[in-house]
Amino acid sequence: QQQVKQSPQSLIVQKGGIPIINCAYENTAFDYFPWYQQFPGKGPALLIAIRPDVSEKKEGRFTISFNKSAKQFSLHIMDSQPGDSATYFCAASRGGSAGNNRKLIWGLGTSLAVNP
Amino acid sequence: NAGVTQTPKFRVLKTGQSMTLLCAQDMNHEYMYWYRQDPGMGLRLIHYSVGEGTTAKGEVPDGYNVSRLKKQNFLLGLESAAPSQTSVYFCASSYLTGGDQPQHFGDGTRLSIL
């Protein structure tokens, strides 16, 4: 059972467009929601993360929107560039005793292509 | 500062052969992880370690063993490789609690089992 559902599976936009990637979760105990970016041939790297006490977080051209009541969060990429072409993963985790339960639950990923 | 280094980068094995994948990190991180990545399956956690000398099972541990004899190294072993273990394997590390601290990934080991 996929605890974090990510959509779409793939996405193509033109340069300057605003791709939006959505994630939905089931476990209300999740309290940390990161997004990772992965370029071909490389490992994922943390892009931006949010906690449920805020509804939005911006870092440069990347924005996370968080809707706690709907149990959804999304990544928006403003003024997208061909260099943003990558696979994006959302994830979620929850606190546990002594931090031992803080494993990431990953979405399946979205392959983004930004055409020039 | 190399971060997380995985060796080898590529390997082809025959069914039934054994091998060990090595992960080394130079960031003094407590937590280390092994994932496999398959098309359409995202990242699946194989095993992880919360400190030197400790290991724990993840989501898909069958067919794999791990060891963390030194804090900076995390080894993933395949005792008898099977074609279903063809995948890209990623190692990651993080400081203390792994969930809300960034996981730093290596560039992966591409493993094919014939």
Side-chain angles (χ1 to χ4, degrees), chain B residues 62-91:
Chain B
D62 294 342
Y64 305 95
N65 57 76
V66 289
S67 64
R68 183 108 182 259
L69 299 180
K70 294 182 178 180
K71 184 177 183 178
Q72 63 268 34
N73 295 336
F74 195 29
L75 306 180
L76 178 70
L78 286 73
E79 291 186 349
S80 180
S84 60
Q85 295 177 306
T86 293
S87 187
V88 181
Y89 292 87
F90 287 99
C91 175

Side-chain angles (χ1 to χ4, degrees), chain B residues 20-42:
Chain B
T20 300
L21 281 64
L22 172 64
C23 177
Q25 53 95 3
D26 61 2
M27 297 171 283
N28 201 34
H29 284 168
E30 292 292 335
Y31 280 53
M32 295 188 75
Y33 313 80
W34 276 107
Y35 292 93
R36 60 178 290 174
Q37 185 175 33
D38 303 289
M41 301 293 287

Side-chain angles (χ1 to χ4, degrees), chain A residues 32 36 38 41 51 89 99 102, chain B residues 31 37 99-100 103 105 110:
Chain A
Y32 175 71
Y36 280 75
Q38 183 182 27
R51 292 191 178 276
F89 292 95
R102 273 207 175 276
Chain B
Y31 280 53
Q37 185 175 33
D100 61 355
Q103 291 191 15
F105 283 79
R110 285 144 187 83

Side-chain angles (χ1 to χ4, degrees), chain A residues 38-97:
Chain A
Q38 183 182 27
F39 293 107
K42 298 294 184 179
L46 179 65
L47 183 63
I48 185 173
I50 197 169
R51 292 191 178 276
D53 54 345
V54 296
S55 61
E56 185 177 277
K57 183 174 182 180
K58 292 183 180 181
E59 287 188 6
R61 295 183 294 105
F62 299 91
T63 299
I64 300 179
S65 297
F66 187 84
N67 186 329
K68 188 173 182 179
S69 61
K71 295 186 288 185
Q72 295 176 348
F73 58 109
S74 59
L75 177 70
H76 302 234
I77 305 175
M78 305 301 178
D79 188 27
S80 59
Q81 301 296 314
D84 297 328
S85 297
T87 299
Y88 293 82
F89 292 95
C90 64
S93 74
R94 61 176 177 88
S97 60

Side-chain angles (χ1 to χ4, degrees), chain B residues 9-29:
Chain B
K9 296 187 184 304
F10 305 91
R11 186 74 184 268
V12 178
L13 290 179
K14 295 181 178 179
T15 298
Q17 288 185 318
S18 63
M19 79 162 294
T20 300
L21 281 64
L22 172 64
C23 177
Q25 53 95 3
D26 61 2
M27 297 171 283
N28 201 34
H29 284 168

